[in-house]
Amino acid sequence: MTNKWNIRTNTEEELQLANMLAEELELNPVTCMLLVRRGIDSVETVRKFFKPNLNDLHDPFLMPDMQKAVKRLNKALGNKEKILIYGDYDVDGTTAVALVYKFLRPYSSMLDYYIPDRYDEGYGISYKGIDFAKENGFTLVIALDCGIKAISKIEYAREKGIDFIICDHHMPDDTLPDAVAVLDAKRIDSEYPFEHLSGCGVGFKFMQAFAKSNDIPFSSLENLLELTAVSIASDIVPIMGENRILAYYGLKQLNSNPSLGLRGIIDVCGLSGKEITISDIVFKIGPRINASGRMMNGKEAVELLLAKNKEIAKEKSENINQYNEDRRELDKRITDEANAIINDIKNIADQKGIVVYNPLWHKGVIGIVASRLSEKYYRPSVVLTKSSELITGSARSISGFDIYKTIEACRDLLENFGGHTYAAGLSLKEENLEKFIARFMQLADEEIDYEQMRPQIEIDQVIDLTHINLKFFNELKKLNPFGPNNDKPVFCSLRVKDCGRSRLVGKDQDHLKLEIYDDMTNESTVHGIAFGMSKHFSYINEGQPFDVCYTIEENTYNGVTTVQLMIKDIRLSGD
C-alpha cells in the first residue's frame, strides 16, 4: 500500500507572518512557518513558546468544582479522616495516584491508594473498590483518570457514607455523577482555558489548588512534574498550551534529578546518560509502567513510582521490565492470530472497519493489538475478548474518523464505554455482539471514504537539502517537546539523487543508508537512513531522481555531531 503525501501549502498571510518573525528574531523562515502554523504568530508568543514559564499555568480555581474539592480535602485532613487515592491501572492513572499520594503524604498519616484489577474489576471505579473503602474506614475517595461516567457507583458510595472527588479528563455525559466535586475541564459548563489535560494533569491542578489554599509554596510541587510529563506523553494528549509547560519542566526533572522509581525505569530502558525525550517516554518508559497493569496489577507500578529505597526501586523496575518482555511476546502472538482471522475474510478489501473476537485473548494487550491492526490495514479496528461474563474490547482509529462517537452511537448495545477521538474501550453482553458488529461496520461504511483508508503522511514543508545543517537543526530543537498538535516537523525534498555511495545495510540488507544531493544545485551531500525500504535501491542506484520525506535528527559518532535524515518514505520523482 503506497502512502499519500499531503504537502502543506503556505497562504500569503502565513508567508508574511513567517517572514516578519524571521526578520525580528533572526530565525530561519522555515522555522517561523512551522511556528505560524501552530498559532505562534507574534514575537511575544514565540518567546513564550521557546521558553515555557511555570508562571503561565492557569489558576486551578478556574476549573468547575475546584473550590468544593479543596474545601472537602481540607476538611478531611483537619478531621483526620481516612483518604483513599483511587486511580486507573494505566500510565495516566498510576502516575496520577503517585503524584497525589506523594504530595499529600506529609499532611496525613491516614492515606492509602487503590488500583482496580483489570481482570477482576475492569476499568474505572468499581463496586469492589467502594466496598474496600467502606470495610477499611475510608470516608473520602479521590478518583483519578476515571469516574466521569460512574453515576450508579457514586450513588452506591454515597449510600455507604463515602464521598468522592472525581478528577477526570474523559468526555462526560450530559449528567454528571453526584460526587462532592467533579473536576474535568471537558465539562459543558467549564470555562477553564485548557481542556486537554491528562488525568494526572487534573490531579496536579487539584494539588496546585490545595497548595494555594494552604499557602504551600508552588516550589513544593515542582518535583512532581516528572509524573505529569510521563502521563502527557503516554496518554497522547496535545503538547500545547498548559501541557507544553508541564511537559517541558517535567522533562527537565527527568533529565536532571528523577525520583528513584523513574530512575530505575530509565536504567532498565537503557536511557541512562542520554537526553530523555517525549518519544523515549512513549516507546520505552510508558510501556513498562503500563505492563504492570496489563500483565499483573498496576499497584506495583505505583509502588515503584513511590519508592524511597534504591534496592526496592531496582527490584520493582526489573519486575516491570520482565512484564514488558512477557507483554511483547503475548501481543505478537495475538496480533498474528488476529491477522490470520482477517486473512480469512473474503471481502476484506471492501470493508471499511475491522472487528475481531476471540474469547481466549489476553485482555491486557488487546489495545496494543487494535493499534497494530489499524496501522497495518489503515481501518478503524476493534479487538474483543471475553472477560468474566462480558465481552470487552479496545478500539483504535484512523485519521478523520472519530471512533468515540461511533462507539457512542452503539451505546444501547453496550454495558460500558469511554475514550476519545482515536481510542476507546467498551464492554457488552454476548447476545449483543452480532448487533454491535453490524452497526459498527455500517457506521464505518457510511462515514469513511476509500481515500481515508490509504496511509497519509502529513508534510510540513518542501525544502532543498541545502537548508539542512546544525544551525537549522538547533532551531528546530527549540520546538521541543514534540507531540500531538506539535508534531516533529516532516520535510520533503524533490528530485534528489544518489551521490554514488548509497548502499543496502542491515543483517538482511533490507535498510538503505543514503548519501544524497539536490539534483538542481549539485551542492554538498546529506546522509539519511531508510529502514525497511530496500525495494527502492535499484532506481536510486541507477542515478534516477527521487523524492524523499523525512524528519531531521542529530547523529553523534566518535564525538562528532552531524545531522541526518530519518526517511519516512521514498518515491520515484514524477510518481
Side-chain angles (χ1 to χ4, degrees):
M1 187 183 296
T2 58
N3 299 311
K4 181 184 178 185
W5 295 17
N6 296 324
I7 302 174
R8 284 285 306 266
T9 55
N10 306 322
T11 67
E12 190 60 39
E13 183 183 5
E14 286 174 336
L15 284 167
Q16 289 175 3
L17 281 168
N19 288 333
M20 178 273 291
L21 291 176
E23 189 175 334
E24 289 275 337
L25 297 166
E26 297 182 351
L27 294 171
N28 190 306
V30 176
T31 308
C32 294
M33 180 58 71
L34 295 171
L35 290 164
V36 167
R37 286 186 183 156
R38 287 157 172 73
I40 316 300
D41 55 9
S42 70
V43 171
E44 182 186 356
T45 55
V46 169
R47 285 176 176 149
K48 282 193 171 187
F49 188 79
F50 280 172
K51 289 190 176 179
N53 193 318
L54 289 167
N55 292 327
D56 291 329
L57 291 174
H58 303 304
D59 180 353
F61 286 102
L62 294 174
M63 197 176 291
D65 283 4
M66 187 62 82
Q67 196 74 51
K68 294 178 185 176
V70 171
K71 183 179 178 182
R72 181 65 185 91
L73 177 56
N74 282 333
K75 178 185 174 186
L77 292 170
N79 292 340
K80 293 185 168 48
E81 294 178 51
K82 291 188 76 175
I83 303 169
L84 187 65
I85 316 298
Y86 188 113
D88 192 25
Y89 39 68
D90 66 3
V91 180
D92 198 13
T94 52
T95 53
V97 167
L99 184 148
V100 172
Y101 186 87
K102 262 189 177 182
F103 192 68
L104 292 182
R105 188 163 50 188
Y107 307 105
S108 174
S109 59
M110 311 289 282
L111 207 60
D112 202 353
Y113 56 89
Y114 188 94
I115 305 292
D117 185 273
R118 181 189 290 264
Y119 307 101
D120 184 33
E121 298 167 78
Y123 165 78
I125 296 166
S126 68
Y127 290 111
K128 184 177 178 180
I130 295 167
D131 289 341
F132 172 87
K134 178 64 179 176
E135 289 161 10
N136 289 277
F138 292 97
T139 51
L140 176 64
V141 178
I142 299 172
L144 296 149
D145 189 37
C146 59
I148 197 66
K149 294 185 177 182
I151 292 172
S152 60
K153 288 162 186 170
I154 297 303
E155 182 58 37
Y156 179 76
R158 284 175 66 87
E159 290 169 2
K160 292 187 173 293
I162 299 167
D163 286 341
F164 263 79
I165 295 170
I166 292 171
C167 304
D168 207 345
H169 70 127
H170 296 101
M171 286 297 297
D173 283 334
D174 293 338
T175 303
L176 297 175
D178 190 17
V180 170
V182 178
L183 306 179
D184 189 332
K186 290 187 175 78
R187 282 175 51 165
I188 295 171
D189 61 341
S190 176
E191 295 182 1
Y192 190 75
F194 186 75
E195 68 172 18
H196 300 295
L197 292 164
S198 64
C200 184
V202 178
F204 179 86
K205 298 305 294 188
F206 182 22
M207 294 301 96
Q208 184 188 359
F210 167 75
K212 192 172 182 180
S213 76
N214 289 282
D215 296 322
I216 299 167
F218 182 86
S219 57
S220 62
L221 285 159
E222 289 183 27
N223 68 329
L224 303 174
L225 289 170
E226 61 177 13
L227 293 166
T228 66
V230 171
S231 78
I232 286 166
S234 301
D235 220 55
I236 322 294
V237 291
I239 305 187
M240 292 293 277
E242 195 161 39
N243 279 342
R244 179 172 173 81
I245 302 171
L246 295 170
Y248 180 89
Y249 284 94
L251 282 171
K252 270 193 166 186
Q253 175 81 15
L254 268 180
N255 280 293
S256 62
N257 188 28
S259 61
L260 285 175
L262 283 169
R263 164 58 65 195
I265 303 175
I266 289 166
D267 289 344
V268 297
C269 287
L271 292 172
S272 298
K274 300 178 182 177
E275 183 181 359
I276 295 165
T277 64
I278 290 292
S279 182
D280 291 324
I281 297 172
V282 171
F283 294 108
K284 295 184 178 181
I285 295 172
R288 284 167 171 80
I289 297 173
N290 249 338
S292 176
R294 290 187 190 281
M295 306 303 295
M296 297 295 287
N297 186 290
K299 190 168 186 180
E300 190 163 6
V302 179
E303 290 169 356
L304 170 61
L305 295 172
L306 294 174
K308 293 180 175 181
N309 177 292
K310 280 185 180 180
E311 284 69 33
I312 290 174
K314 186 174 186 294
E315 176 195 338
K316 299 292 182 187
S317 298
E318 289 171 351
N319 286 352
I320 68 167
N321 193 52
Q322 185 57 53
Y323 301 151
N324 192 52
E325 291 300 314
D326 297 342
R327 185 273 306 167
R328 289 170 69 176
E329 291 179 16
L330 192 60
D331 89 60
K332 183 184 183 306
R333 177 176 63 78
I334 294 175
T335 300
D336 289 344
E337 291 174 5
N339 281 322
I341 293 172
I342 295 165
N343 289 338
D344 286 339
I345 300 173
K346 291 180 181 178
N347 62 337
I348 185 63
D350 300 322
Q351 294 190 6
K352 295 182 180 178
I354 289 172
V355 182
V356 287
Y357 169 57
N358 183 326
L360 301 179
W361 282 341
H362 195 286
K363 184 181 175 185
V365 299
I366 56 174
I368 299 170
V369 176
S371 293
R372 298 198 193 289
L373 297 182
S374 65
E375 288 167 10
K376 179 175 180 178
Y377 299 100
Y378 221 73
R379 291 164 170 78
S381 301
V382 183
V383 179
L384 301 164
T385 188
K386 193 76 177 285
S387 179
S388 299
E389 299 303 311
L390 293 175
I391 289 173
T392 187
S394 286
R396 298 294 184 270
S397 197
I398 58 172
S399 180
F401 182 72
D402 189 331
I403 201 136
Y404 176 83
K405 284 186 178 177
T406 305
I407 300 293
E408 187 178 37
C410 304
R411 67 186 304 159
D412 57 303
L413 302 172
L414 306 176
E415 297 303 300
N416 197 9
F417 72 97
H420 49 79
T421 303
Y422 292 110
L426 63 145
S427 61
L428 67 157
K429 292 178 179 174
E430 194 158 5
E431 60 260 33
N432 288 327
L433 176 60
E434 293 305 319
K435 290 179 185 175
F436 167 76
I437 294 173
R439 191 182 301 175
F440 179 86
M441 297 298 282
Q442 179 189 345
L443 291 167
D445 189 60
E446 290 171 356
E447 295 178 31
I448 295 173
D449 59 51
Y450 283 106
E451 189 62 26
Q452 279 177 268
M453 293 161 60
R454 183 180 172 193
Q456 319 272 315
I457 298 178
E458 303 299 327
I459 297 171
D460 291 280
Q461 191 89 4
V462 177
I463 62 173
D464 295 332
L465 294 181
T466 50
H467 267 94
I468 300 167
N469 53 41
L470 271 174
K471 182 177 184 296
F472 179 48
F473 176 75
N474 287 330
E475 285 188 9
L476 295 180
K477 280 177 74 174
K478 293 181 181 179
L479 275 66
N480 267 305
F482 294 118
N485 289 33
N486 183 38
D487 293 313
K488 182 175 286 189
V490 177
F491 300 106
C492 164
S493 295
L494 307 176
R495 296 193 63 82
V496 303
K497 282 187 176 180
D498 172 28
C499 74
R501 291 187 291 273
S502 295
R503 63 190 188 277
L504 294 169
V505 295
K507 181 182 176 183
D508 300 315
Q509 299 283 283
D510 50 0
H511 311 311
L512 272 173
K513 184 75 174 172
L514 296 175
E515 203 167 332
I516 55 180
Y517 67 95
D518 276 323
D519 185 31
M520 303 299 290
T521 62
N522 289 319
E523 294 200 25
S524 58
T525 58
V526 177
H527 294 260
I529 183 74
F531 292 109
M533 298 188 198
S534 58
K535 65 182 180 180
H536 301 285
F537 183 64
S538 58
Y539 64 78
I540 290 172
N541 192 45
E542 289 167 3
Q544 294 190 57
F546 58 98
D547 305 336
V548 285
C549 66
Y550 51 86
T551 58
I552 303 173
E553 311 292 340
E554 194 172 45
N555 185 40
T556 301
Y557 182 72
N558 284 341
V560 178
T561 299
T562 58
V563 294
Q564 74 170 6
L565 312 184
M566 185 65 69
I567 308 294
K568 296 177 72 70
D569 201 12
I570 299 173
R571 67 185 185 189
L572 194 60
S573 294
D575 279 1

